[in-house]
Amino acid sequence: MTRDTRPAGPPDRSHAAARVALVLGLVALGLWTLHGFLPALAWGAILALALWPLYARVVRRVPPGRHNVVGPALFTLGVALVVLVPLALVAVQAAREAREVLQFWREIEQSGWPVPEIVNRLPFGAEAVAAWWRETLAHPAGASEWLHHLDNGALVGVGRSVGTQVAHRAMLFGFTLLTLFFLFRDGPALAAQGLTACRRLFGPRGERVARQMAASVHGTVDGLVLVGLGEGVLLGIVYVVAGVPHPVLLGALTAFAAMIPFAAPVAFGIAALLVALKGSLVAAGAVVAAGLLVTFLADHLVRPALIGGAAGLPFLWVLLGILGGVESFGLLGLFLGPAVMAALVLLWRDYTQEEPAPAPALVDGHGEALSRSG
């Protein structure tokens, strides 16, 4: 028998389709298996991207040893402390506030709630509001009846739900730190593999898209987190000067709210209301005016320059990416939304970019083409 030496033909299409289906099935199965931990993985990747320039700078000055563990472990511990220490301080302050609120609640049930001074200073309707207050809340029976409208069972249910959520968030935070440690340790190799995968999947533009999304994450972290912290510090100083109760706690609340678009007015509005209840309408107006000024400058000048400049996006698309991301992914969408918008805008610009027209050939008097060199 003679051996068939003819070249093999193209691979069977059915085999290629089966391989694609197998790959897609395995990817879907992996995502379904990890779906509960995907937020932790995403947060770890975002923190690694945001902190990588600082980490790389420190590593260059103090090269890691043979076992690259100390540097990633120290940086991960630093991230944990930066997050947990403020949360612990806020929790301690909130516990103190809860005791004060409970004591105030008991005093109202025993002796009623006197008409606040701010009611008498209302520009209109002061008499009607004061009369309603005296009939409803100023005497113990009315205040106790009004307070008992709150369902104690509902309050217990809310407390249990909050406890469950805190335990779940703590577990996710632990896995986020674990992810962050391994990303710090194996960051260069993972980045090279990711860029290679992008090039193979999407061609030469894949690497550009990946780098653009990473730049958008950097810009979003700077524009949301750092600017929000700056707003919290500035308005916290305003709270101290205006005599707002618990300025540190309200400043921290303002910093967190300022990271979410259009949420900062809620925080400094609460601060203005608290100082107004103390009877100082001028200080309340000053808090509102300072809050509007700080948020206007941050939202219209600083953030567009940081986020839009880094991601190469108009601020409208940055805003839509943030709001849409929050609606779709929760707090994680603050960073995923602009990254997705940056990738889409980059692909759109590449797709719609016109190819340069060829230079017209020069001809002599006989209609023959001349060389460009003359």
Side-chain angles (χ1 to χ4, degrees), residues 311-358:
L313 284 175
F315 184 66
L316 174 63
W317 292 109
V318 173
L319 183 62
L320 292 177
I322 292 173
L323 296 178
V326 170
E327 183 178 1
S328 302
F329 305 105
L331 191 61
L332 190 62
L334 288 173
F335 309 96
L336 293 181
V340 173
M341 289 295 105
L344 291 176
V345 169
L346 177 61
L347 291 175
W348 174 256
R349 288 172 178 170
D350 288 345
Y351 182 75
T352 57
Q353 185 177 9
E354 295 183 359
E355 296 293 336

Side-chain angles (χ1 to χ4, degrees), residues 9 22 69 82-83 88 131 185 197 210 272 284 289 294 306:
L22 177 61
V69 174
V82 168
V83 174
R185 194 190 69 173
V294 170
L306 290 176

Side-chain angles (χ1 to χ4, degrees), residues 146-357:
W146 182 78
L147 291 175
H148 277 81
H149 283 303
L150 296 174
D151 187 2
N152 292 331
L155 293 178
V156 173
V158 170
R160 291 177 179 174
S161 177
V162 170
T164 303
Q165 287 295 323
V166 168
H168 179 67
R169 302 295 178 186
M171 182 188 69
L172 287 182
F173 182 66
F175 279 101
T176 298
L177 294 178
L178 186 63
T179 303
L180 184 62
F181 168 79
F182 284 105
L183 289 176
F184 277 146
R185 194 190 69 173
D186 304 322
L190 292 175
Q193 294 171 5
L195 293 177
T196 301
C198 289
R199 284 195 299 268
R200 290 182 177 178
L201 289 174
F202 305 107
R205 295 174 180 173
E207 184 173 348
R208 290 183 56 204
V209 171
R211 294 185 183 277
Q212 188 76 356
M213 294 180 71
S216 70
V217 171
H218 283 293
T220 305
V221 170
D222 293 340
L224 291 181
V225 178
L226 298 183
V227 174
L229 292 176
E231 290 184 54
V233 171
L234 292 177
L235 291 179
I237 296 174
V238 173
Y239 298 160
V240 173
V241 175
V244 177
H246 314 294
V248 176
L249 181 62
L250 286 173
L253 176 63
T254 304
F256 179 77
M259 299 177 191
I260 304 173
F262 310 117
V266 176
F268 65 74
I270 293 174
L273 178 62
L274 291 177
V275 76
L277 290 175
K278 293 175 60 178
S280 180
L281 294 179
V282 176
V287 169
V288 172
L292 292 175
L293 177 62
V294 170
T295 55
F296 178 84
L297 294 176
D299 293 340
H300 292 81
L301 294 179
V302 182
R303 277 185 175 142
L306 290 176
I307 303 178
L313 284 175
F315 184 66
L316 174 63
W317 292 109
V318 173
L319 183 62
L320 292 177
I322 292 173
L323 296 178
V326 170
E327 183 178 1
S328 302
F329 305 105
L331 191 61
L332 190 62
L334 288 173
F335 309 96
L336 293 181
V340 173
M341 289 295 105
L344 291 176
V345 169
L346 177 61
L347 291 175
W348 174 256
R349 288 172 178 170
D350 288 345
Y351 182 75
T352 57
Q353 185 177 9
E354 295 183 359
E355 296 293 336

Side-chain angles (χ1 to χ4, degrees), residues 43-112:
W43 276 116
I46 289 172
L47 290 174
L49 285 173
L51 297 174
W52 188 260
L54 178 62
Y55 175 76
R57 191 179 308 156
V58 173
V59 167
R60 280 197 300 266
R61 294 184 178 181
V62 184
R66 180 176 301 177
H67 303 287
N68 188 12
V69 174
V70 177
L74 290 178
F75 262 77
T76 304
L77 178 61
V79 171
L81 292 177
V82 168
V83 174
L84 293 178
V85 170
L87 286 179
L89 295 177
V90 170
V92 171
Q93 186 65 29
R96 294 176 181 173
E97 297 295 330
R99 287 197 296 268
E100 294 180 4
V101 170
L102 183 60
Q103 180 64 28
F104 180 65
W105 190 303
R106 292 173 179 173
E107 291 178 358
I108 289 177
E109 287 186 324
Q110 294 174 1
S111 58

